[in-house]
Amino acid sequence: MDIKDKSLLRSEAYINGEWIKKETTFSVYNPYNHVKIAEVSNCIQVDTESAITAADHAFQIWSNYTANKRSRILRNWYELIIENVTDLAHILTIEQGKPLQEAIGEIKYGASYIEWFAEEAKRVYGDVIPGQSRKNRITVIKQPVGIIGAITPWNFPSAMITRKVGPALAAGCTVIVKPSEYTPLSALALAELSDRAGFPKGVINIVTTKDAAAIGESLTSNSKVKKISFTGSTPVGKIVLKQSADQIKKVTLELGGNAPFIVFADADIDAAVSGCYDSKFRNGGQTCVCTNRIFLHESIHNEFIEKFANKVKSIKTGYGLDKGVEIGPMINENAVIKDINLIKDATNKGAKVIAGGMRKKGLFIEPTILCNIDSNMDIFSSEIFGPIAAIYKFKSESEVIEIANNTKYGLASYFYGRDYKLIWRVAEALEFGMVGINTGLMSTVAAPFGGIKESGFGREGSKYGIDEYLNIKYMCWGDVE
Ligand code: SIN
């Protein structure tokens, strides 16, 4: 692999500050050409237990560091990530497929969570509350939750780790990360840099495995692990939640979405086309906040489609390391088959193909636009997670709000319009955790990322993100006067 610092390319698990080479390994492939890029240690239950013991021991040390000291080490890590951005992005592109420029964007986005929470570490404030009688005083302090199990996905192999680990470490917790088996190398490269940043051993542990279910189970069933933070699909999130219920473990779930993208009659159409493109095709459509259902007012329907199709037909797909490529391969064969079936089901039921529609060699589907979509088609209720834009036509505001909310998911939503009264009405009526108004991109460390309904609960990033890793303790003082 063409990277400057070859020591970033690790294939062992990282437990208690040691690189653990296992006899049994699993292969990691480049999704563009199916060339094997690494054989990675395949951890089993006993390794998770070692990681939990290490994290438990490290918690006694790390949680007793001053906030300033934790902040400085987090800041070191942030700076090392930024210094190595090109190598990290290269590793990410090779194992995940997204174009290099987008991978660079992800590394910077991911690093921003470490930078942000290095600062927030120093702002974990308590409260003093007037007592209920003259004799009493009430104080509130916040304490780290303990050991965190972080289970992260393949679509953002770097940023979804830092978004969990940054606030957890800032709060004084220690972590065990279980990265996706498709993209463990980005996680291990982050671990290598954390090692150089000066974290005590055992504060960060990376358990690589092909057997996600077994490791997930050993994290959820161990009473020393106090919280699970999971990003992934809704069905797997439900399993994590059920397994965590036994011990009433704290849980944060960032699950699937079915984002509506609504364009009202008075919208700036060029801006809406560009926002829709960004939101639909980011990471080749493999993002849980990607637009999933596009609703166009009948008065602008044809104009929007014409302009959108011009843009989509010119998208360059290919190898993420090649210049000018905008969309890389999908992650695996199952993802391709699922999306091809969605196209077939929609067209069999009357959808019209405006662009693309076909599978290409390898793990590629042509960037596709389908119109005449209706709610009887599978694509209406499925999370597409691929480069397919599904377009619906609507007549009235009330009709579109009802249909946009007609989903079990509640993560992201978007709309374009100009009338400020309509903007407030629609933003308040949409049953989603996040609303993009006249923008197709809203992910930033400064904002609380998260969903409602079956898209999960808990928030990541922003001033709220650290609360997920803190317990509130109330102290009642008696006999003060
Ligand atoms: C995700 O797809 O899970 C996260 C995307 C983002 O942070 O914007």
Side-chain angles (χ1 to χ4, degrees):
M1 199 183 291
D2 188 18
I3 58 174
K4 273 200 283 232
D5 183 350
K6 298 270 189 273
S7 58
L8 290 176
L9 207 54
R10 309 291 321 207
S11 55
E12 312 95 325
Y14 182 70
I15 298 173
N16 200 24
E18 310 280 336
W19 293 101
I20 308 293
K21 197 172 169 65
K22 302 282 297 176
E23 257 172 40
T24 329
T25 58
F26 63 96
S27 311
V28 180
Y29 296 95
N30 179 333
Y32 174 71
N33 50 20
H34 205 66
V35 166
K36 193 201 287 183
I37 39 181
E39 279 295 323
V40 173
S41 283
N42 190 26
C43 293
I44 53 173
Q45 215 145 347
V46 66
D47 304 302
T48 320
E49 275 153 27
S50 309
I52 294 170
T53 305
D56 191 29
H57 180 70
F59 181 70
Q60 310 311 324
I61 300 164
W62 183 247
S63 61
N64 281 308
Y65 275 15
T66 61
N68 268 332
K69 193 164 173 183
R70 287 201 299 270
S71 171
R72 274 198 302 275
I73 298 174
L74 278 162
R75 179 82 204 180
N76 290 346
W77 194 23
Y78 161 74
E79 275 160 14
L80 284 164
I81 296 171
I82 294 299
E83 274 167 33
N84 288 280
V85 62
T86 316
D87 280 354
L88 293 171
H90 198 101
I91 293 170
L92 203 164
T93 293
I94 298 271
E95 69 174 347
Q96 198 271 347
K98 68 178 65 174
L100 187 64
Q101 273 317 310
E102 208 172 332
I104 290 174
E106 177 180 339
I107 300 297
K108 291 183 179 165
Y109 173 52
S112 73
Y113 285 93
I114 306 299
E115 181 190 37
W116 179 276
F117 286 106
E119 291 154 8
E120 289 297 294
K122 296 179 271 184
R123 298 187 190 110
V124 178
Y125 301 129
D127 266 317
V128 181
I129 300 173
Q132 68 278 37
S133 85
R134 285 301 306 152
K135 277 204 315 229
N136 295 113
R137 298 290 185 275
I138 294 168
T139 51
V140 174
I141 61 167
K142 293 182 182 171
Q143 295 179 302
V145 162
I147 301 176
I148 308 300
I151 305 175
T152 59
W154 52 263
N155 63 339
F156 286 84
S158 191
M160 294 306 101
I161 292 177
T162 55
R163 187 150 95 178
K164 298 180 189 311
V165 172
L169 300 187
C173 301
T174 53
V175 295
I176 296 148
V177 179
K178 203 290 294 163
S180 162
E181 65 267 34
Y182 291 102
T183 56
L185 304 181
S186 294
L188 296 173
L190 284 174
E192 166 63 30
L193 294 175
S194 77
D195 203 76
R196 298 180 198 172
F199 290 99
K201 59 184 188 160
V203 168
I204 299 175
N205 304 277
I206 313 277
V207 177
T208 47
T209 187
K210 189 151 181 64
D211 194 350
I215 300 304
E217 214 272 328
S218 50
L219 287 171
T220 51
S221 63
N222 192 308
S223 60
K224 285 192 175 144
V225 177
K226 300 295 186 226
K227 172 172 178 133
I228 303 289
S229 179
F230 171 77
T231 295
S233 72
T234 294
V236 178
K238 288 181 184 180
I239 296 171
V240 169
L241 187 57
K242 280 184 190 143
Q243 289 177 347
S244 303
D246 242 11
Q247 295 168 3
I248 322 286
K249 248 186 234 315
K250 271 179 175 281
V251 180
T252 289
L253 296 173
E254 204 265 271
L255 308 176
N258 186 2
F261 186 103
I262 308 169
V263 186
F264 287 100
D266 69 342
D268 174 338
I269 302 303
D270 291 335
V273 164
S274 160
C276 190
Y277 174 86
D278 291 342
S279 150
K280 177 66 248 181
F281 292 105
R282 176 173 172 229
N283 198 17
Q286 303 175 114
T287 301
C288 55
V289 291
C290 271
T291 285
N292 215 51
R293 297 168 296 155
I294 302 165
F295 298 100
L296 303 179
H297 188 263
E298 58 182 357
S299 63
I300 50 88
H301 178 264
N302 294 352
E303 181 190 350
F304 182 100
I305 289 182
E306 196 186 320
K307 291 180 169 167
F308 191 54
N310 281 341
K311 226 169 148 64
V312 172
K313 283 178 185 163
S314 72
I315 293 177
K316 188 173 169 198
T317 58
Y319 190 27
L321 293 181
D322 288 347
K323 245 195 152 97
V325 165
E326 292 159 292
I327 293 187
M330 293 179 73
I331 193 67
N332 58 31
E333 185 64 23
N334 285 347
V336 177
I337 291 172
K338 189 200 88 187
D339 274 1
I340 288 294
N341 286 339
L342 288 178
I343 295 174
K344 279 192 194 144
D345 173 78
T347 49
N348 286 343
K349 292 175 180 163
K352 190 170 151 206
V353 178
I354 303 287
M358 303 300 287
R359 179 171 187 168
K360 288 181 17 183
K361 196 164 161 272
L363 298 175
F364 285 93
I365 293 179
E366 290 175 328
T368 296
I369 304 177
L370 302 173
C371 72
N372 295 348
I373 298 290
D374 68 48
S375 57
N376 296 316
M377 299 170 183
D378 292 346
I379 204 164
F380 179 84
S381 47
S382 310
E383 187 176 24
I384 301 170
F385 236 66
I388 307 168
I391 298 185
Y392 309 70
K393 197 192 272 188
F394 73 92
K395 285 185 181 8
S396 71
E397 184 185 322
S398 57
E399 170 204 352
V400 77
I401 294 295
E402 192 183 330
I403 192 162
N405 286 338
N406 180 14
T407 168
K408 65 181 183 181
Y409 295 108
L411 191 61
S413 55
Y414 307 86
F415 69 93
Y416 276 68
R418 285 186 167 115
D419 172 13
Y420 80 92
K421 289 184 187 165
L422 170 131
I423 288 178
W424 270 101
R425 271 197 313 274
V426 174
E428 288 177 356
L430 285 170
E431 294 164 358
F432 295 84
M434 298 177 276
V435 186
I437 303 162
N438 293 323
T439 178
L441 295 174
M442 57 175 155
S443 300
T444 159
V445 66
F449 189 105
I452 58 172
K453 294 157 77 177
E454 291 192 25
S455 291
F457 47 76
R459 291 295 177 267
E460 298 193 307
S462 82
K463 67 172 181 173
Y464 305 105
I466 199 164
D467 292 340
E468 303 285 330
Y469 299 94
L470 291 165
N471 286 328
I472 289 181
K473 182 180 281 175
Y474 142 57
M475 300 173 197
C476 184
W477 300 62
D479 201 21
V480 174
E481 267 184 25

